[in-house]
């Protein structure tokens, strides 16, 4: 497929407007069903009791924290290598959302850690590497807005995103490489998920809702970036005309 | 009523479970609202810039 087919910003905005009602509607549906299942239908855990319900927001948020960073890294690579005009906008639009998901993963993890581990926070490999991820997002946001010429900021942020990508596999495998309080993966495993379907389904539906939410928000935010770029170009033209 | 109280208590973990869900709602809705506000602001700025251009074009036609 020709990568630049959807590179035309005007065409992208029209396409986004066609897709948005679907992703938005499905996001609301999945989050609604997921919320109902995770609060009312799924059972309490035999070890964790009702506190296990925090997992239904914590795990999807943590997955999205990694997923959004991966999207930013991929977009940054295609911005640096192929100069794809929308790639920078996807990265810019994603960074604050990724930071939001990462903060949510940290905060909900902390709320679960207090009753279950007896502490809000430990400086172990998993928690520390996720905190680093949060700072990478903040750094990306700061850097992409640090220059008057936005394209220079975008390029600097893209380099940061690619260098920082090393943190993603570190987060994923941190629970296997170092001894940690955080439990190892129980859903994404080679031998299949090790949690019961009555808990797996609410979790997967919530995760789907989070992903659809991100896609919808991304479409809206990239549209905003396209319009902001148009606004800058138009104000320049208006200045030149006077 | 008692059922409701049992549900809200979450087996004693209510003070941890409810803030987690509330924070999730606040962040997800907050990011959406911020995005929509930004879109609306940019759109109105664009419209404001567009108006003089149109009047210019009309003036040019006359």
């Amino acid at each position: 497929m020709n990568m630049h087919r959807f590179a035309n910003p005007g065409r992208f905005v029209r396409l986004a407007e066609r897709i948005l009602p679907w992703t938005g509607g499905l996001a609301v549906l999945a989050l609604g069903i997921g919320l109902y299942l995770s609060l009312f239908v799924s059972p309490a855990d035999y070890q964790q009791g009702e506190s296990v319900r925090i997992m239904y927001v914590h795990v999807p948020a943590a997955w999205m924290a990694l997923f959004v960073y991966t999207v930013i890294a991929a977009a940054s690579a295609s911005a640096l290598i192929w100069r794809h005009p929308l790639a920078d906008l996807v990265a810019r639009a994603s960074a604050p959302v990724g930071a939001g998901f990462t903060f949510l993963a940290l905060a909900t993890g902390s709320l679960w850690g207090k009753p279950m581990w007896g502490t809000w926070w430990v400086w172990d490999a998993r928690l520390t590497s996720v905190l680093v991820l949060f700072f990478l997002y903040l750094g990306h946001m700061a850097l992409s807005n640090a220059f008057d010429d936005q394209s220079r900021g975008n390029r600097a942020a893209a380099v940061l995103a690619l260098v920082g990508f090393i943190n993603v596999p570190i987060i994923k495998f941190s629970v296997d490489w170092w001894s940690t309080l955080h439990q190892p993966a129980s859903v994404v495993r080679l031998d299949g998920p090790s949690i019961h379907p009555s808990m797996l389904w609410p979790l997967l539906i919530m995760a789907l809702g989070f992903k659809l939410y991100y896609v919808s928000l991304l479409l809206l935010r990239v549209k905003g970036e396209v319009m902001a770029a148009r606004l800058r170009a138009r104000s320049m033209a208006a200045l030149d005309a006077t | 009523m008692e059922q409701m109280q049992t549900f809200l208590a979450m087996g004693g973990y209510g003070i941890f479970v409810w803030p987690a869900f509330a924070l999730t709602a606040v962040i997800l809705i907050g990011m959406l609202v911020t995005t929509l506000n930004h879109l609306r602001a940019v759109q109105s700025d664009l419209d404001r810039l567009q108006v003089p251009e149109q009047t210019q074009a009309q003036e040019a036609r006359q």
Side-chain angles (χ1 to χ4, degrees):
Chain A
M1 193 183 87
N2 181 3
M3 282 219 1
H4 286 257
R5 227 177 101 196
F6 299 107
N8 178 318
R11 185 177 294 165
F12 171 85
V13 169
R14 281 195 298 279
L15 193 68
E17 278 165 353
R18 280 232 298 277
I19 303 172
L20 253 168
W22 294 95
T23 57
L26 287 172
V28 171
L29 191 70
L31 288 173
I33 295 174
L35 211 54
Y36 173 71
L37 291 180
S38 50
L39 285 176
F40 297 98
V41 180
S42 75
D45 186 70
Y46 78 103
Q47 279 180 323
Q48 305 171 21
E50 304 281 355
S51 78
V52 72
R53 300 191 196 283
I54 295 174
M55 288 300 122
Y56 301 123
V57 287
H58 171 74
V59 175
W63 282 346
M64 290 313 294
L66 291 177
F67 179 76
V68 173
Y69 197 89
T70 308
V71 169
I72 293 178
S76 301
S78 70
L80 291 175
I81 300 167
W82 295 292
R83 310 259 150 173
H84 192 286
L86 277 174
D88 276 330
L89 302 187
V90 168
R92 284 180 69 83
S94 290
V97 186
F101 283 130
T102 311
F103 175 78
L104 194 57
L106 288 167
T108 54
S110 196
L111 281 163
W112 181 86
K114 184 61 186 167
M116 289 298 116
W117 293 345
T119 176
W120 298 105
W121 183 262
V122 280
W123 290 102
D124 80 342
R126 172 55 73 84
L127 278 70
T128 309
S129 55
V130 174
L131 188 65
V132 168
L133 181 71
F134 182 62
F135 289 135
L136 279 170
Y137 276 122
L138 296 188
H140 188 280
M141 287 158 66
L143 210 49
S144 64
N145 291 315
F147 299 91
D148 286 335
D149 177 7
Q150 206 185 66
S151 61
R152 276 184 69 197
N154 288 343
R155 205 166 311 147
V159 173
L160 173 76
L162 287 177
V163 174
F165 188 71
I166 184 69
N167 194 34
V168 170
I170 291 181
I171 291 175
K172 169 73 185 139
F173 296 111
S174 59
V175 284
D176 305 322
W177 291 344
W178 293 283
S179 71
T180 162
L181 275 181
H182 199 286
Q183 55 264 65
S186 50
V187 178
V188 187
R189 294 160 62 103
L190 287 177
D191 52 353
S194 61
I195 65 175
H196 193 264
S198 62
M199 292 181 175
L200 185 61
W201 276 110
L203 183 58
L204 291 181
I205 291 171
M206 280 298 257
L208 180 70
F210 271 59
K211 188 149 290 173
L212 287 163
Y213 166 86
Y214 166 64
V215 170
S216 314
L217 198 61
L218 182 65
L219 291 174
L220 280 173
R221 294 178 68 88
V222 172
K223 181 184 164 190
E225 293 286 342
V226 169
M227 280 162 56
R230 206 174 284 165
L231 180 64
R232 276 195 302 279
R234 216 168 267 176
S235 353
M236 292 281 207
L239 274 178
D240 286 344
T242 50
Chain B
M1 195 61 210
E2 209 178 279
Q3 244 183 329
M4 185 73 176
Q5 264 165 359
T6 323
F7 175 67
L8 289 177
M10 281 282 159
Y13 295 119
I15 51 161
F16 301 107
V17 172
W18 294 117
F21 279 84
L23 193 66
T24 305
V26 166
I27 288 184
L28 294 197
I29 293 169
M31 292 198 295
L32 179 64
V33 169
T34 318
T35 301
L36 291 176
N37 282 343
H38 175 247
L39 264 176
R40 210 165 300 141
V42 174
Q43 184 66 63
S44 78
D45 282 352
L46 267 177
D47 292 344
R48 206 172 310 144
L49 271 175
Q50 202 142 30
V51 174
E53 276 172 32
Q54 279 171 352
T55 24
Q56 273 170 13
Q58 279 163 0
E59 281 162 6
R61 265 200 300 273
Q62 280 164 0

